[in-house]
């Protein structure tokens, strides 16, 4: 092993130790380090988003592919020329350690921020079955009202997907009007959300319909996500760019941004996703209440459209299910638990508490 190779291994180990130390520090006394850390993180993400915003496509989409190809090419060259594999491995490890440390220290420590409910003045508590039912019914009705206002195909009444770039511009600026009401949304950039063109379908296959990349400041969504959730997904990823790292909080922030929009497609996407979340919780905890919810007298045109959109969404994502989806969920579950979200992927459903609190407040 050459001296340079040893140095790279030492640097990689040192970077990983710094990352672990930062995680331990924030896990122990995170609230004391906010809002300073979030301000710094948000400022960094905003600056990066402005810089990469000049590129018309998702830069991270291509950079990730380039990194994988470069690592593979380096391995092939090492094997063909008989170079030390340890030297190649040291390059890979120091690069991976540097990128991981930048992501964790520059953004992921936002997982240890105070709860969004405190920052928005919401009092969360344990809610009764009736409160969950009432919230489900309420969001279904609001979604039904909005379902009648969005563009649909006259042949089968399916949703018409709105132009990605047009909606991406609106989603990037969706939190600006909320800044005067909630400090947690102040100071963020308004750069558009970007379309994942190379890795979009791959992301859907591992069970994700968006990704925010701290290294480039880009909020990204696959163009082929379900039509009803497109605008919500965009606002969800834009929320991560504001330093809202927890999934349930990014979900709730996206709901608030969507429903505050003057675009009916954003409004529908927000209320639709809120209904889906509450309905899923109702089915899981009180399945007997579903028959009452779906009583014939509730079958208005708008509500039927919402249910049809649910069926379309299920059919759309069914095409992406499989072993890769299971593996992707396992990785995401491990990531969330590593940063203190002990419910893992179940945290995607915990935002129901936020929705009920919003409804009863």
């Amino acid at each position: 092993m050459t001296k340079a190779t040893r140095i790279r291994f030492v640097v990689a180990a040192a970077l990983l130790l710094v990352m672990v130390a930062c995680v331990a520090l924030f896990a122990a006394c995170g609230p004391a380090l906010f809002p300073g850390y979030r301000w710094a993180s948000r400022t960094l993400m905003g600056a990066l988003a402005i810089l990469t915003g000049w590129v018309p496509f998702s830069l991270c989409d291509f950079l990730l592919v380039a990194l994988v190809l470069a690592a593979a090419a380096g391995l092939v060259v090492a094997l063909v020329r008989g170079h030390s594999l340890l030297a190649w491995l040291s390059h890979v490890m120091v690069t991976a350690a540097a990128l991981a440390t930048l992501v964790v220290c520059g953004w992921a420590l936002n997982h240890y921020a105070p709860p969004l409910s405190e920052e928005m003045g919401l009092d969360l508590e344990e809610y009764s079955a009736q409160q969950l039912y009432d919230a489900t019914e309420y969001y279904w009705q609001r979604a039904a009202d909005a379902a009648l206002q969005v563009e649909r195909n006259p042949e089968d009444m399916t949703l018409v997907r709105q132009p990605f770039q047009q909606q991406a511009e609106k989603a990037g600026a969706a939190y600006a009007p909320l800044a005067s009401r909630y400090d947690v949304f102040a100071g963020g950039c308004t750069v558009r959300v970007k379309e994942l063109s190379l890795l979009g379908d791959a992301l859907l296959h591992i069970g994700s319909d968006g990704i925010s990349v701290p290294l480039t400041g880009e909020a990204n969504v696959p163009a082929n996500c379900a039509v009803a959730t497109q605008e919500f997904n965009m606002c969800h990823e834009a929320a991560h760019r504001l330093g809202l790292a927890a999934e349930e909080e990014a979900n709730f922030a996206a709901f608030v941004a969507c429903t505050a929009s003057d675009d009916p497609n954003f409004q529908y996407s927000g209320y639709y996703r809120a209904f889906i979340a509450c309905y899923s919780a109702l089915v899981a905890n009180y399945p007997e209440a579903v028959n009452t919810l779906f009583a014939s007298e509730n079958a208005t045109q708008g509500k039927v459209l919402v249910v049809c959109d649910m069926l379309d969404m299920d059919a759309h994502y069914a095409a992406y299910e499989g072993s890769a989806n299971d593996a992707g969920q396992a990785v995401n579950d491990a990531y969330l638990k590593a940063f203190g979200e002990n419910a893992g992927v179940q945290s995607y459903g915990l935002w129901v508490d936020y929705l009920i609190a919003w409804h009863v407040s």
Side-chain angles (χ1 to χ4, degrees), residues 14-361:
L15 288 171
L16 292 176
L17 285 174
V18 168
M19 181 177 67
V20 171
C22 287
V23 170
L25 174 64
F26 274 71
C29 51
L33 302 172
F34 287 86
Y37 174 79
R38 175 171 281 165
W39 174 85
S41 175
R42 180 179 296 175
T43 301
L44 175 61
M45 293 303 102
L48 289 171
I50 292 171
L51 286 173
T52 58
W54 292 99
V55 181
F57 52 83
S58 176
L59 192 61
C60 71
D61 208 0
F62 290 84
L63 287 177
L64 181 57
V65 173
L67 283 171
V68 172
L69 291 177
L75 177 59
V76 170
V77 169
L79 291 173
V80 170
R81 296 185 177 180
H83 294 169
S84 170
L85 290 181
L86 284 177
W88 169 82
L89 182 61
S90 69
H91 282 289
V92 172
M93 288 190 64
V94 76
T95 301
L99 294 178
T101 303
L102 287 172
V103 168
V104 170
C105 295
W107 179 81
L109 295 175
N110 280 299
H111 280 285
Y112 299 106
L116 179 62
S117 56
E118 292 182 8
E119 299 184 85
M120 293 186 66
L122 283 176
D123 294 324
L124 300 185
E125 56 188 64
E126 292 185 2
Y127 296 104
S128 67
Q130 187 62 50
Q131 287 174 310
L132 173 59
Y133 180 91
D134 291 344
T136 305
E137 193 171 43
Y138 168 76
Y139 289 119
W140 190 17
Q141 183 59 60
R142 295 305 299 266
D145 294 339
L148 299 172
Q149 307 303 317
V150 294
E151 185 180 2
R152 293 181 177 272
N153 293 302
E155 299 84 5
D156 55 8
M157 296 304 289
T158 55
L159 284 167
V160 173
R161 188 185 296 277
Q162 299 303 301
F164 188 97
Q165 296 302 329
Q166 168 190 294
Q167 302 304 82
E169 291 282 353
K170 295 179 181 179
Y175 292 97
L178 299 171
S180 60
R181 294 165 54 191
Y182 305 105
D183 290 341
V184 68
F185 299 131
C189 71
T190 57
V191 176
R192 71 186 185 283
V193 175
K194 291 188 174 182
E195 174 187 343
L196 282 175
S197 53
L198 289 182
L199 301 176
D201 274 6
L203 199 67
L204 292 171
H205 275 292
I206 63 171
S208 179
D209 46 18
I211 184 171
S212 184
V213 180
L215 292 172
T216 61
E218 294 172 306
N220 308 274
V221 171
N224 199 35
C225 64
V227 180
T229 64
Q230 175 178 262
E231 288 76 14
F232 179 90
N233 293 342
M234 290 178 174
C235 289
H236 175 102
E237 298 309 326
H240 282 320
R241 194 169 58 190
L242 293 176
L244 299 176
E247 292 298 329
E248 71 272 17
E249 295 185 351
N251 275 341
F252 183 67
F255 161 77
V256 174
C258 281
T259 55
S261 172
D262 57 5
D263 184 320
N265 294 284
F266 277 82
Q267 293 173 18
Y268 178 60
S269 193
Y271 282 120
Y272 171 81
R273 284 290 281 112
F275 166 66
I276 294 294
C278 290
Y279 172 72
S280 297
L282 192 70
V283 170
N285 295 281
Y286 310 103
E288 68 281 358
V290 175
N291 290 333
T292 304
L293 184 72
F294 285 150
S296 58
E297 59 266 24
N298 287 332
T300 64
Q301 181 185 4
K303 288 184 174 181
V304 169
L305 288 174
V306 174
V307 174
C308 289
D309 290 340
M310 287 174 58
L311 297 175
D312 288 341
M313 182 183 73
D314 288 344
H316 180 82
Y317 285 125
Y320 294 98
E321 293 179 355
S323 57
N325 187 290
D326 295 338
Q329 289 292 298
V331 171
N332 197 28
D333 182 70
Y335 164 76
L336 293 173
K337 288 180 177 178
F339 286 97
E341 293 193 45
N342 294 322
V345 292
Q346 293 180 11
S347 65
Y348 285 86
L350 295 179
W351 70 294
V352 170
D353 287 346
Y354 281 89
L355 292 170
I356 298 175
W358 185 265
H359 172 240
V360 301
S361 62

